[in-house]
Amino acid sequence: MQKVLIITYYWPPAGGPGVQRWLKFVKYLRDFNIEPVLYVPKNPHYPMTDESFVDEVPEGIKMYRHPIFEPYGLASIFSSKKTAQISAGIITTKNQTLLEKALLWVRGNLFIPDARKFWVKPSVKFLAEVLQKENIETIITTGPPHSVHLIGHGLKKRHSINWLADFRDPWTSIGYHEKLKLSRVSRKKHEYLENLVLNGADKILVTSHTTKNEFSVITNKPIEVITNGFDTKEDVPVPLDESFTISHIGSLLSGRNPASLWKALAELIDENGSFKESFTLQLAGVVSEDVLESVYGAGLKPYTELLGYVSHEEALRFQKKSQVLLLVEIDSEETKGIIPGKVFEYMAAKRPILGIGPKGWEVGQIVANTHTGKTFEYQEKELIKKQLLEWFMAYKTKELILPSANIGQYHRRELTRKLSKYLQWE
């Protein structure tokens, strides 16, 4: 059985989408004659945790841990709330305080590629013995944080190994880079390190075709697209909400703010008494102040339920019982290749997906091909409103059902099968 060393920052009990990709790969790799060995930080600073993920780690997985220095702990002396928000990726764009501006500048210009950079050198030294002890010939690094890839680069330079670099998100083209107040020198350093990794790894793995096209300009190394997916458990029936719930599961960061949707909902409430009596907007996860201000500004506060962070198991239950599932991405050219992991769980929940994102968003093609919902651009308020009214009328007659198709290809086991083939080396 082939052994692979998986180097990741996020691992249970970390919560959020970042942990799930490799947790699920690890779950199924043994089915394809690959034995995973894990390397994770000993004392990580996770912005959110979810104990339910711990139960999903397969028995007998060998795991190595090494301490990590986390500067977010020091930064929290000045403002624990603001530090936690930046660590979680929540960057407010309006009325930033001097402290917020300073923290962003420090994060962007002193911690390159990210605040976990101090784990790189100790890990390269520590893992040298692990490679020899476990007789490992293949390593996998997954980012963000992209500093994890620098561990892979350091090991590749010193040892005769195969290196697969997995990018769950882009690097220099990711949307929040514009908010980090990067200097020209810092921006160049990010580009240099990105180039170093993309040309140093033997193979690249990405989650979207857009990212593959971007990276193909930088490197000639093989690049494979393996999206995220869903992992069905025992299918316990969950009764649908009696009200017409539109639910968003996951973080709504400042840029994910579809004002056209909030306005369309406000108009439907004003124009349709039955809609007004039935409608509920459920937001599960961290919601930025900018988004809440926009939602409430449209008059939707009486109809909005803030559920806070929910466990993954609770999230799956909310997805199954909601009438409509909301999916939102930042409206920019840089985000058209971002495919949120929850879109695949939305599909498995078999509830209509309302997607709102940038022009050319890859999610739109996936949703269309699987007949799991509709996607729109931010400015298409009237089309959004028309679709919502159509779904609402179907809800009233208990016929709000979409017959999905071809979603089996996105099951985590099938995606792991694809990964196992990519891990075959000549």
Side-chain angles (χ1 to χ4, degrees), residues 134-283:
E134 297 291 341
N135 194 26
I136 287 173
E137 297 179 352
T138 297
I139 66 168
I140 299 170
T141 57
T142 178
H146 294 308
S147 54
V148 172
H149 294 310
L150 299 184
I151 299 174
H153 182 265
L155 291 173
K156 179 69 177 179
K157 281 175 60 179
R158 294 164 176 79
H159 306 278
S160 179
I161 53 174
N162 301 309
W163 172 27
L164 171 66
D166 171 61
F167 288 82
R168 302 189 313 277
D169 285 323
W171 190 328
T172 58
S173 64
I174 198 163
Y176 65 73
H177 256 222
E178 297 301 319
K179 301 175 184 177
L180 290 179
K181 307 182 185 302
L182 297 176
S183 68
R184 186 178 63 84
V185 172
S186 297
R187 194 177 301 276
K188 289 291 184 184
K189 188 168 183 180
H190 273 288
E191 292 171 354
Y192 167 76
L193 292 175
E194 179 184 50
N195 190 296
L196 196 70
V197 169
L198 289 176
N199 287 287
D202 297 290
K203 292 182 179 180
I204 312 295
L205 190 61
V206 295
T207 58
S208 76
H209 291 280
T210 302
T211 304
K212 177 179 180 178
N213 293 338
E214 290 176 0
F215 285 174
S216 294
V217 177
I218 304 173
T219 183
N220 292 321
K221 296 296 180 71
I223 304 176
E224 181 73 17
V225 177
I226 301 181
T227 65
N228 290 306
F230 66 89
D231 191 28
T232 54
K233 297 183 178 180
E234 185 179 349
D235 197 9
V236 179
V238 178
L240 286 173
D241 290 330
E242 292 186 6
S243 59
F244 184 65
T245 47
I246 298 177
S247 302
H248 182 276
I249 315 295
S251 299
L252 267 179
L253 309 183
S254 295
R256 296 177 186 148
N257 189 9
S260 55
L261 170 62
W262 314 140
K263 189 171 182 180
L265 290 169
E267 290 179 3
L268 285 169
I269 290 168
D270 186 56
E271 298 165 2
N272 191 311
S274 180
F275 188 92
K276 180 178 181 179
E277 291 177 3
S278 304
F279 169 65
T280 300
L281 177 65
Q282 290 187 330
L283 304 178

Side-chain angles (χ1 to χ4, degrees), residues 383-423:
L383 292 177
I384 294 171
K385 183 178 175 182
K386 181 180 177 182
Q387 184 61 70
L388 285 173
L389 186 57
E390 180 183 319
W391 282 341
F392 177 69
M393 298 308 293
Y395 149 81
K396 292 290 287 183
T397 58
K398 301 187 184 301
E399 296 175 339
L400 184 50
I401 301 171
L402 289 182
S404 60
N406 304 319
I407 68 171
Q409 62 184 307
Y410 298 113
H411 192 283
R412 295 284 190 178
R413 191 177 191 280
E414 289 305 308
L415 296 171
T416 308
R417 183 195 304 277
K418 190 175 180 180
L419 171 65
S420 67
K421 292 179 180 178
Y422 196 48
L423 284 171

Side-chain angles (χ1 to χ4, degrees), residues 40 80 95 134 205 224 261 264 273 279 285 287 311 325 357 378 401:
V40 299
S80 58
N95 304 317
E134 297 291 341
L205 190 61
E224 181 73 17
L261 170 62
F279 169 65
V287 183
S311 71
L325 295 170
Y378 269 65
I401 301 171

